[in-house]
Amino acid sequence: QVQLVESGGGLVQAGGSLRLSCAASGSFFRIAAMRWYHQAPGNQRELVGSIASSGTLTYADSKEGRFTISRDNAKNTVYLEMNSLKPEDTAVYYCNADVQPYSATYYRNYWGQGTQVTVSS
């Protein structure tokens, strides 16, 4: 079984920074794309951005420039560096990944449990 565990959330003042981490554990062959989503109260879950195993990045337009996604393939970990945080960035942030099991040609999609980020004004 594969688990994604996020960490690094918390309370920060507007203009501050946070770095979220998401580590994948369990038994698997490889991880393809890893993604960050956020979900504010009353809103749908939205994509923040994604990073391929090659390092190719894609960001949602509203986050590019303030948010940076990176990954450490050796640690099966993806990071989300958030700078110049705004109160509207307050949300639960979720990690998502496409994971290939051993002896399989397909990928399964997994979600983390989420980590709360609260930005005070």
Side-chain angles (χ1 to χ4, degrees), residues 70-82:
S70 61
R71 68 190 280 175
D72 184 333
N73 289 332
K75 295 181 179 179
N76 295 315
T77 299
V78 62
Y79 304 96
L80 178 63
E81 184 81 32
M82 303 184 291

Side-chain angles (χ1 to χ4, degrees), residues 21-67:
S21 300
C22 171
S25 63
S27 180
F28 52 86
F29 180 58
R30 74 176 74 186
I31 302 175
M34 302 186 82
R35 307 172 187 88
W36 285 100
Y37 286 78
H38 69 158
Q39 187 169 19
N43 290 356
Q44 290 187 334
R45 195 170 296 186
E46 297 178 340
L47 179 68
V48 174
S50 65
I51 183 167
S53 56
S54 63
T56 300
L57 290 160
T58 304
Y59 292 99
D61 290 341
S62 62
K63 302 303 183 186
E64 193 165 11
R66 296 191 299 120
F67 289 13

